[in-house]
């Protein structure tokens, strides 16, 4: 599902902070099975995301998309709130 002005990755995660103006912090958890060690590896990464209207709140499940740089650290944009 490509949205306008989205150029790369589309990720899904949980909002962990919405204290900044027009910015939310989203925690994305990805799981990968390591073939050699037969273990499940869990990667957690936080992304700063541009939220123009300020709709997302802490605890919301959101879909984010990669876009042009909005600032030094913001390279993702809020596409939709899943729930």
């Amino acid at each position: 599902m490509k949205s306008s002005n989205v150029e790369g990755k589309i990720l899904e995660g949980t909002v962990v902070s919405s204290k900044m103006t027009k910015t939310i912090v989203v925690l994305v958890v990805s799981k990968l099975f390591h073939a050699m060690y037969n273990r499940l590896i869990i990667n957690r990464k936080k992304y700063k995301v541009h939220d123009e209207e300020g709709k997302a709140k802490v605890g919301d499940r959101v879909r984010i998309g990669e876009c042009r740089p909005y600032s030094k650290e913001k390279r993702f944009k809020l596409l939709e709130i899943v729930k």
Side-chain angles (χ1 to χ4, degrees):
M1 177 180 125
K2 289 272 182 178
S3 178
S4 62
N5 300 328
V6 176
E7 297 148 6
K9 300 176 189 174
I10 294 178
L11 304 171
E12 196 169 306
T14 307
V15 179
V16 292
S17 174
S18 62
K19 293 180 180 180
M20 295 173 273
T21 307
K22 295 187 179 182
T23 304
I24 56 175
V25 180
V26 177
L27 177 69
V28 176
V29 178
S30 61
K31 296 179 182 178
L32 172 72
F33 188 76
H34 198 290
M36 180 190 282
Y37 298 123
N38 289 327
R39 297 269 189 259
L40 190 65
I41 298 172
I42 300 171
N43 293 323
R44 295 172 188 88
K45 182 159 183 181
K46 290 182 182 177
Y47 293 95
K48 288 198 174 129
V49 179
H50 185 71
D51 181 11
E52 187 66 39
E53 291 93 33
K55 294 186 290 187
K57 304 294 179 223
V58 176
D60 288 349
R61 190 95 179 135
V62 295
R63 190 166 287 128
I64 60 175
E66 195 173 20
C67 61
R68 68 177 179 84
Y70 281 99
S71 69
K72 179 183 172 185
E73 297 177 335
K74 279 202 293 189
R75 270 103 174 103
F76 282 84
K77 167 183 192 171
L78 178 67
L79 298 179
E80 65 178 324
I81 298 174
V82 179
K83 62 173 170 176

